[in-house]
Amino acid sequence: MVIQWFPGHMAKAKRQAIENRNMVDIVLELVDARIPISSRNPLMDEIVGGKPRLIILNKADLADSNMTNDWLEYFNHPEHNQKAIAVNAFNQSDIKRTKNIIKEMMIEKMAAREARGIKPRAIRLMVLGIPNVGKSTFINQIIKRNRAKTANKPGVTQHQQWLKIENDFELLDTPGILWHKFEDQAIGMKLALTGAIKDTLFHKDDIALYALELWTNRYPGRLKQVYRLDESLGKESYPDMLMALTEQLNFGDEYDRASEKLIFDIRDGKLGTFTLDEVPENTNSQ
Ligand code: G4P
């Protein structure tokens, strides 16, 4: 197991994120639409403080659209001082929509500044999120340029610059990289399945068993369609189902190989769109 975050790194990343937050008008918090809660940093509320924030459920093209709508309703609940949208960072109309929402969020503040005779200025933004939620991709798309990938390490943000986006926005060039909630086994499994944890913390077959159970129950028919797998096997035993999958793939007794194929197929969307986090029942609050 590769430990990715140490307490010192976390403290530094948090401190930098808070320093940067103080320089911007709006925080853009990127999460993975397939795991909108599991891909949030545990201290996000504290880090963002009272600053207006736009939660961007990125990779919406890979997520279950019905569940994305439920998540948007949840995050956009009027009680919260925040807004949420779902986007595919590669889709320019989603990027345009994001810019319009940011402008709407700033209308009152800008009008108040104008009323006090303060010269209009660009809206200042920063991007925050855990590794792999699409921060670099989103920044490249919003500035319409290709910038080098940022190292996924906390505390690498040294000499920050403002990137101009038309005349309307200024964006801090390096995103705030926060750590995942890898301490929790169930969350770790979801991060692993979506590819957020590259140096996997789990055995491949454990992730595969988790996936087989989830797909059998939540997305019935897909395992049968893609692998001609008998889904009723899952009702008896998921390890038996993994053995059947290995056989179906002609991988002999290489269960790890079959597990890896299943995991990659899921990440590539071959088993359809999916969302692993469920909106909590009977609550509209975070
Ligand atoms: P990060 O800075 O937050 O660490 O994330 P990054 O932009 O590197 O994106 C992580 C992976 O997610 C990349 O894929 C990227 O292409 C993909 N991605 C980002 N946004 C979206 C989106 O809205 N939809 C989809 N489908 N994918 C998205 P990769 O395979 O790791 O790299 P690459 O092969 O694309 O270079």
Side-chain angles (χ1 to χ4, degrees):
M1 165 175 151
V2 178
I3 303 276
Q4 307 182 42
W5 308 108
F6 297 97
H9 289 155
M10 292 188 188
K12 189 167 182 191
K14 183 181 159 192
R15 198 171 57 242
Q16 275 187 348
I18 291 174
E19 275 169 23
N20 290 341
R21 172 205 77 191
N22 292 335
M23 297 194 288
V24 301
D25 297 304
I26 295 182
V27 173
L28 305 180
E29 180 194 349
L30 256 72
V31 298
D32 185 325
R34 296 167 298 176
I35 45 172
I37 288 290
S38 303
S39 60
R40 295 187 91 190
N41 177 272
L43 301 180
M44 191 52 88
D45 288 348
E46 195 188 320
I47 290 167
V48 175
K51 194 67 73 174
R53 95 173 97 170
L54 178 61
I55 300 176
I56 299 177
L57 279 73
N58 191 36
K59 308 195 187 187
D61 53 311
L62 303 176
D64 177 329
S65 55
N66 288 328
M67 286 177 79
T68 299
N69 287 337
D70 291 347
W71 275 114
L72 285 176
E73 204 176 311
Y74 172 83
F75 284 128
N76 280 320
H77 192 269
E79 269 177 19
H80 305 147
N81 179 28
Q82 66 186 20
K83 269 198 88 64
I85 53 164
V87 308
N88 165 3
F90 291 109
N91 182 326
Q92 268 305 317
S93 68
D94 282 357
I95 295 290
K96 197 169 168 199
R97 196 160 51 88
T98 308
K99 289 182 189 164
N100 288 338
I101 287 174
I102 295 169
K103 282 186 193 164
E104 273 170 31
M105 287 173 77
M106 284 299 293
I107 282 178
E108 278 179 28
K109 187 172 172 185
M110 288 309 188
R113 284 171 61 87
E114 212 180 312
R116 280 187 281 140
I118 304 171
K119 237 172 64 188
R121 63 158 173 79
I123 299 169
R124 293 195 185 127
L125 307 167
M126 72 181 287
V127 169
L128 261 184
I130 69 163
N132 208 50
V133 289
K135 297 180 297 300
S136 308
T137 308
F138 179 84
I139 291 177
N140 283 338
Q141 295 298 320
I142 201 164
I143 65 169
K144 295 193 186 128
R145 259 180 288 150
N146 211 6
R147 292 178 52 79
K149 170 115 181 70
T150 327
N152 265 332
K153 292 195 190 115
V156 293
T157 315
Q158 293 302 332
H159 304 290
Q160 291 235 317
Q161 289 178 7
W162 294 101
L163 301 168
K164 275 201 161 299
I165 307 168
E166 291 123 27
N167 289 323
D168 301 326
F169 310 100
E170 284 170 357
L171 173 68
L172 276 181
D173 65 343
T174 354
I177 301 163
L178 299 169
W179 57 98
H180 2 70
K181 295 186 270 193
F182 59 84
E183 308 90 350
D184 180 315
Q185 175 91 0
I187 292 176
M189 207 63 106
K190 293 177 186 180
L191 290 166
L193 193 53
T194 51
I197 303 174
K198 293 257 157 69
D199 314 292
T200 176
L201 289 151
F202 300 94
H203 291 295
K204 291 188 183 78
D205 50 356
D206 283 335
I207 304 171
L209 291 174
Y210 167 76
L212 287 173
E213 182 173 352
L214 235 139
W215 258 257
T216 303
N217 293 307
R218 198 176 300 164
Y219 300 111
R222 294 191 192 172
L223 290 164
K224 187 163 182 244
Q225 194 189 346
V226 177
Y227 305 114
R228 279 178 271 135
L229 199 55
D230 176 3
E231 290 182 349
S232 66
L233 273 173
K235 303 279 174 253
E236 305 296 322
S237 132
Y238 289 104
D240 282 352
M241 202 175 185
L242 178 58
M243 283 167 74
L245 173 69
T246 312
E247 206 175 297
Q248 205 69 271
L249 292 167
N250 288 322
F251 287 174
D253 60 359
E254 294 177 86
Y255 307 120
D256 252 19
R257 193 174 156 209
S259 299
E260 188 170 85
K261 168 138 179 70
L262 176 66
I263 295 165
F264 281 126
D265 283 353
I266 286 173
R267 286 186 194 160
D268 287 348
K270 290 194 180 128
L271 272 87
T273 56
F274 65 92
T275 299
L276 303 177
D277 283 343
E278 283 182 276
V279 179
E281 271 174 39
N282 302 325
T283 172
N284 278 313
S285 61
Q286 276 181 265

